[in-house]
Amino acid sequence: MKFFQPRTLHKRIMLAIALLQLLVVGLFSLYMLIQQVGNEITNRQVLGHKMIAITAPAVTHLIEFDPRGIDAYLGAMLGDRAITAITVKDSEGKLLFQQAKEVNPLHAVAGWFKAAEFKPTVTTELKSARGSLGLITLQLSNDVLNEKTHTLLNDVAYLFMLLLGVDLIAIQLLVKSVMAPLTPLAAMAREVSQGNWDKTMLAAADNASDEVRNLSDAFVESAKTMKRQIRELEETRGQLAENELKLRNLVNNMQEVLLEVDQSGHVTFLNPAWEELTGYATETTLHRPFTEFLAQPKHQSYFEAGRLEHIPLTDLQLEVRARDGKALWMQMSTSLQRDDSGAVTGLISTLEDVTETLHLQELQHQHEQDLYRLTITDPLTGVYNRRHFDDLLENLLHMNLHKNLPLALVIVDIDGFKFINDTYGHPVGDQVLRTVANTLRANEHQGGAVARIAGDEFAVLLQNVNAEEANRIGHMIHADLNRAIVPLTVGQLTIQTSIGIAVAPLHGKTPLDLVRAADVALYHAKQSGRNRVDTLSKERGEAIMDIFSQGFELRNAISAGMILPFMQPIVDLKTRKVFAYEVLTRMRRGDAFVPADDFIPIAEDLGLIRDMDMFVITQSLTLIPKNVHLFVNISLNSFYAPEFTQQLRDLLHSPIAKGRAITLEFTERQTTEMSAEFIQMFNEIRAGGCNVALDDFGVGYSTYSYLRQLRPEFVKIDGSFVLQLKENQEDVKIVEQIRELAHVIGAHTIAEHIEDEETIAMLIKMGVDFGQGYYFGKPVNVQDKHWLTADLV
């Protein structure tokens, strides 16, 4: 059943206030009833206590002096309406008196509000001079309390009805006075609904409340605003019509095609640009499938029924077939149309002619490809250049190793290319390079690549080729290159090459290791006579790789100035005075210094000895005072290069060398042919004021031949003979023979590796002139300012 709701606001307000008043008056009446009932119960309790207080002394007296009078006395008390029962017991609990009347139940209202406080019985002790005589108990009657409660209920009900009636009358009058001003507002609303705006400008009544007056004013303002908005809406409608005309003109004058297609792929709208671009009339195109105008099946599939939602919304290029058969490329931007359920109902797109743009992009792409080709290829030969080769090697090596596949590197070096350039000219040299590149490209195998990595050096990468197959291909390439002919103005030129081969991961797993291994193989091919193919073997590879590793370190040390001169004194054995200082070469490695014996052989093998010798000599002459006699070590191998001889001559005639004592000390690490030019060069050095010392005498090559042809001023006895003079008599005889040979040619002797006084005594006895070794002083860095000592004792 629905709750009753009055239809008018007047009645609803009346009902709400009436219910509120009913609740307030009811609560007030209930409060009065609770207070009155509580007071009556409290009065009854007080009366009971007073009655027992009066009765107890009388009963005590009767028990002591007239027990028989108890019945008459207490029986008379039962006649009082306030008492329902009396009970008397002696001190032993024996019943002396007990009478009771019929008990009426307590009124329900009194029981609700004061049941916990109401005590119907009152008990007290009967005392005398002899002590306790017993207990007396009075039970109070409910009749008086029930009558009082009934009377209170009637009074409260009358009062409740009276108050409620008065409140309802007052409320009716109040609500009527409040609602009365709303009647004009209702009339105004009806006029507004009928469009009579002029009749809404009514002021509120003079006696209207502020709220009603504010409501009336707000309603009038709202009416004015609505009137203004309707007028503006009519103006907007006119502007929309004008804008629609402008938009129609804009669409008709667009350079792009505006296309609308329904869900089945049929054309439903086109602007005039369609006809201008394609030659098809708009009228004959409408309601036809758009697929009829597309050249490619892939593009047609987008516009099939039910497939519109799969079409790319942006960056879609369509090939449209024009009426004259010409292919037009159009850039399509699309917006899908959907109904309320989200289903695709069609699309609206713009089609922009990008045919010329795509053509320009294609030309630009071709130009970029040409530029890229120039950046990765060698312009002379057309093969890859060194930079691209490095990237290609790194990528292919990573890819092949990841797939557990081998990768072979073939390095081809043209033998005698400098001679070809110098003899026949650079145009012939360029033709040789092109011929080698073309031959290598014709022999590309297994997805390989060819690159020019240096002036006369090429590299070939062979994928998925093991060492045996790489060696076979390398020999095939070598044979093809040997058959290659370069025509000359008169005659022809054949090409010879040295080839080194390395295979990953057998010879290295990084680009640097693989290139280094191939360089080692190429180095060995050249050392073995040139014009041959060499594949790095494990044993030889490790040995030569070690040389190359140290060679890289040595090159870096020379370029970084990490090759330093150290000084060790040469002492007159008899006077113990410093005669001269030998310049010893050391290489800095971190905080340590590596002795010359550990890297000089590597420098000689790799052709670095000339640069190192010249660097150390220059440093020594620059840093050491001129009054110091210097023994400077030079490898005989350095003189293979004519430029070194000239550089040495220039250095010895320079201001830093003039006027100082210099002895050039030669070590025989390899056999050297003593030609007439060679001897003449030494004579020129002597003529310039330099002496010559032959180092490590007794352990080198052609010792006696060198002694006879060079005729040095000093002969240094190798330390291996000096160290065991005290224990080995054979070494004593060898030292004596060396001293005698030196005496024959007029040379002084210098003993190396002296470590004690006893050895010095033996050398003096044998006639040796000078000595050096740790006993006199260890080699000291020339940059240490305290190395120079005038006397040693």
Side-chain angles (χ1 to χ4, degrees):
M1 180 178 180
K2 294 184 178 179
F3 184 79
F4 172 73
Q5 291 185 347
R7 294 180 61 85
T8 65
L9 180 60
H10 182 182
K11 292 181 179 180
R12 290 184 181 183
I13 294 175
M14 283 288 298
L15 177 61
I17 297 177
L19 292 176
L20 179 61
Q21 289 297 328
L22 181 63
L23 178 62
V24 172
V25 173
L27 290 176
F28 176 72
S29 301
L30 181 61
Y31 173 74
M32 291 182 58
L33 180 62
I34 292 171
Q35 292 295 321
Q36 292 298 324
V37 171
N39 291 338
E40 288 300 325
I41 290 176
T42 301
N43 292 338
R44 298 305 297 168
Q45 293 290 111
V46 173
L47 177 62
H49 284 288
K50 289 181 178 181
M51 292 181 67
I52 200 168
I54 296 172
T55 305
V59 174
T60 302
H61 180 78
L62 291 175
I63 292 174
E64 287 182 326
F65 302 104
D66 188 9
R68 293 181 181 180
I70 293 175
D71 294 340
Y73 178 73
L74 295 179
M77 286 189 66
L78 281 173
D80 193 326
R81 292 179 61 203
I83 299 175
T84 300
I86 300 175
T87 302
V88 179
K89 294 181 181 180
D90 61 14
S91 58
E92 296 177 355
K94 182 178 177 181
L95 188 65
L96 299 180
F97 179 85
Q98 185 178 19
Q99 286 187 13
K101 296 187 297 186
E102 183 179 358
V103 179
N104 292 321
L106 185 66
H107 195 281
V109 174
W112 290 344
F113 300 107
K114 290 291 183 177
E117 300 179 8
F118 180 65
K119 297 178 181 179
T121 60
V122 181
T123 302
T124 188
E125 187 179 7
L126 301 175
K127 295 181 180 180
S128 67
R130 294 179 300 172
S132 176
L133 299 180
L135 297 173
I136 180 170
T137 301
L138 299 182
Q139 184 174 353
L140 301 177
S141 172
N142 295 328
D143 294 343
V144 177
L145 180 59
N146 289 344
E147 289 177 4
K148 290 286 186 180
T149 301
H150 183 72
T151 302
L152 286 173
L153 283 174
N154 291 334
D155 293 343
V156 168
Y158 295 149
L159 179 61
F160 174 76
M161 295 301 294
L162 177 62
L163 291 175
L164 184 62
V166 172
D167 286 342
L168 291 176
I169 293 172
I171 291 169
Q172 172 68 16
L173 295 175
L174 177 62
V175 171
K176 185 174 182 180
S177 64
V178 171
M179 297 299 296
L182 296 179
T183 302
L185 293 178
M188 291 170 63
R190 284 193 295 272
E191 294 296 335
V192 168
S193 65
Q194 296 174 4
N196 299 325
W197 300 101
D198 296 334
K199 295 183 179 181
T200 60
M201 310 309 173
L202 300 177
D206 294 337
N207 62 346
S209 64
D210 291 342
E211 290 81 3
V212 173
R213 189 179 299 278
N214 291 336
L215 180 61
S216 176
D217 293 343
F219 189 84
V220 170
E221 290 298 325
S222 298
K224 292 179 180 178
T225 301
M226 290 181 64
K227 182 178 180 180
R228 184 176 63 255
Q229 288 178 344
I230 290 175
R231 183 173 62 253
E232 292 174 352
L233 183 61
E234 292 175 349
E235 293 175 356
T236 302
R237 185 182 302 168
Q239 292 178 355
L240 286 175
E242 183 180 353
N243 291 338
E244 181 180 1
L245 179 60
K246 292 180 179 178
L247 180 61
R248 186 180 301 278
N249 293 332
L250 179 63
V251 169
N252 292 337
N253 294 312
M254 284 176 60
Q255 298 296 321
E256 297 85 5
V257 175
L258 185 61
L259 168 70
E260 185 176 4
V261 177
D262 63 16
Q263 60 185 353
S264 62
H266 289 72
V267 179
T268 57
F269 177 82
L270 282 169
N271 64 342
W274 170 260
E275 185 172 349
E276 294 177 7
L277 291 175
T278 65
Y280 293 106
T282 303
E283 295 76 10
T284 59
T285 306
L286 292 176
H287 311 299
R288 292 172 61 184
F290 189 60
T291 55
E292 294 182 4
F293 305 95
L294 300 178
Q296 298 186 19
K298 178 182 178 181
H299 298 161
Q300 295 173 357
S301 64
Y302 288 132
F303 295 89
E304 294 177 355
R307 291 185 53 83
L308 291 182
E309 60 184 6
H310 301 293
I311 192 170
L313 300 182
T314 58
D315 299 330
L316 175 61
Q317 294 178 349
L318 302 176
E319 184 181 0
V320 178
R321 188 185 301 108
R323 185 175 182 181
D324 58 3
K326 180 181 177 181
L328 298 176
W329 282 94
M330 294 190 174
Q331 181 83 20
M332 184 175 186
S333 297
T334 302
S335 175
L336 295 178
Q337 307 299 303
R338 301 179 183 272
D339 58 17
D340 294 339
S341 64
V344 176
T345 59
L347 59 82
I348 296 177
S349 301
T350 58
L351 300 174
E352 179 185 1
D353 185 9
V354 293
T355 306
E356 186 65 25
T357 302
L358 291 180
H359 178 65
L360 292 176
Q361 289 177 353
E362 184 178 355
L363 292 177
Q364 181 182 0
H365 178 71
Q366 183 62 42
H367 181 62
E368 291 174 350
Q369 289 289 90
D370 294 340
L371 289 177
Y372 175 71
R373 190 178 299 107
L374 290 175
T375 61
I376 67 172
T377 58
D378 173 53
L380 176 62
T381 62
V383 299
Y384 292 133
N385 57 24
R386 178 59 185 262
R387 186 176 67 176
H388 186 67
F389 166 77
D390 291 338
D391 296 338
L392 194 62
L393 174 59
E394 183 176 0
N395 294 333
L396 290 179
L397 185 60
H398 175 76
M399 180 180 67
N400 281 39
L401 292 182
H402 183 70
K403 296 179 180 179
N404 294 322
L405 297 176
L407 177 71
L409 171 61
V410 179
I411 295 183
V412 179
D413 183 84
I414 303 174
D415 294 333
F417 183 71
K418 185 176 184 301
F419 174 81
I420 295 174
N421 269 335
D422 294 343
T423 304
Y424 302 104
H426 288 286
V428 174
D430 292 346
Q431 185 57 41
V432 170
L433 293 174
R434 285 191 289 266
T435 301
V436 171
N438 293 335
T439 304
L440 293 177
R441 260 195 307 211
N443 282 275
E444 285 183 350
H445 297 272
Q446 304 293 331
V450 179
R452 183 186 177 193
I453 59 176
D456 60 345
E457 201 168 277
F458 294 82
V460 181
L461 288 174
L462 305 174
Q463 295 195 67
N464 195 18
V465 173
N466 58 28
E468 181 179 353
E469 182 67 12
N471 186 61
R472 185 187 65 80
I473 295 174
H475 280 84
M476 183 189 307
I477 291 173
H478 185 258
D480 290 343
L481 289 172
N482 281 345
R483 288 192 293 269
I485 300 297
V486 178
L488 302 175
T489 304
V490 177
Q492 59 186 17
L493 178 67
T494 59
I495 300 173
Q496 292 185 347
T497 57
S498 296
I499 297 177
I501 301 173
V503 180
L506 178 62
H507 299 127
K509 295 182 180 180
T510 67
L512 179 61
D513 290 342
L514 193 62
V515 171
R516 189 180 298 174
D519 278 339
V520 168
L522 179 63
Y523 169 80
H524 189 265
K526 287 183 172 294
Q527 289 292 101
S528 301
R530 302 179 182 270
N531 195 28
R532 55 179 291 153
V533 179
D534 195 284
T535 302
L536 188 66
S537 66
K538 182 175 180 59
E539 296 77 11
R540 187 176 70 249
E542 291 178 353
I544 303 179
M545 283 291 287
D546 183 62
I547 293 175
F548 267 68
S549 297
Q550 296 181 56
F552 290 139
E553 181 184 19
L554 192 57
R555 286 189 182 94
N556 293 334
I558 294 174
S559 62
M562 304 303 287
I563 301 297
L564 303 174
F566 274 56
M567 310 301 296
Q568 187 177 30
I570 301 174
V571 178
D572 187 317
L573 294 180
K574 294 179 180 180
T575 65
R576 301 297 179 90
K577 292 184 179 296
V578 176
F579 166 70
Y581 283 88
E582 180 182 3
V583 178
L584 301 174
T585 305
R586 296 289 185 267
M587 179 174 65
R588 183 188 293 275
R589 182 183 290 162
D591 295 332
F593 292 95
V594 181
D597 290 343
D598 290 349
F599 59 85
I600 290 296
I602 306 300
E604 291 179 338
D605 287 343
L606 298 178
L608 300 174
I609 191 66
R610 294 186 293 275
D611 294 337
M612 191 176 68
D613 281 349
M614 189 58 62
F615 178 81
V616 172
I617 296 173
T618 304
Q619 286 289 98
S620 302
L621 297 178
T622 303
L623 299 176
I624 300 172
K626 282 191 174 183
N627 61 342
V628 178
H629 183 178
L630 295 182
F631 277 60
V632 181
N633 288 278
I634 297 180
S635 172
L636 290 175
N637 289 335
S638 297
F639 292 100
Y640 281 127
E643 63 270 18
F644 175 81
T645 304
Q646 186 58 48
Q647 289 174 358
L648 181 60
R649 286 195 187 100
D650 295 340
L651 180 62
L652 294 177
H653 288 85
S654 66
I656 62 174
K658 278 188 175 182
R660 69 186 309 162
I662 300 175
T663 298
L664 300 182
E665 191 173 318
F666 298 97
T667 302
E668 330 156 58
R669 300 184 184 274
Q670 294 181 353
T671 59
T672 302
E673 180 183 356
M674 291 292 180
S675 63
E677 293 81 4
F678 200 81
I679 299 300
Q680 182 182 354
M681 183 268 298
F682 273 96
N683 292 333
E684 291 177 1
I685 290 176
R686 280 197 176 92
C690 291
N691 295 322
V692 174
L694 191 58
D695 193 16
D696 299 333
F697 191 84
V699 296
Y701 299 92
S702 304
T703 300
Y704 297 105
S705 175
Y706 284 173
L707 190 64
R708 177 172 51 83
Q709 296 184 64
L710 291 179
R711 303 187 69 81
E713 282 76 20
F714 297 94
V715 174
K716 301 189 75 172
I717 303 171
D718 189 77
S720 61
F721 304 122
V722 177
L723 286 174
Q724 300 184 17
L725 279 179
K726 296 180 292 183
E727 294 83 13
N728 194 329
Q729 191 61 33
E730 293 179 355
D731 288 343
V732 174
K733 292 181 180 181
I734 292 174
V735 171
E736 289 177 344
Q737 290 178 0
I738 293 175
R739 192 208 65 79
E740 291 177 2
L741 286 172
H743 181 72
V744 169
I745 64 171
H748 297 285
T749 52
I750 303 173
E752 298 178 313
H753 294 186
I754 298 175
E755 296 186 353
D756 54 51
E757 279 288 346
E758 188 176 352
T759 303
I760 294 174
M762 294 179 67
L763 291 171
I764 293 175
K765 185 177 180 180
M766 286 186 282
V768 176
D769 303 304
F770 304 99
Q772 68 180 107
Y774 283 179
Y775 184 76
F776 299 116
K778 294 182 178 181
V780 179
N781 190 341
V782 73
Q783 296 176 352
D784 184 353
K785 300 304 181 182
H786 304 291
W787 63 268
L788 188 58
T789 304
D791 296 290
L792 290 173
V793 181

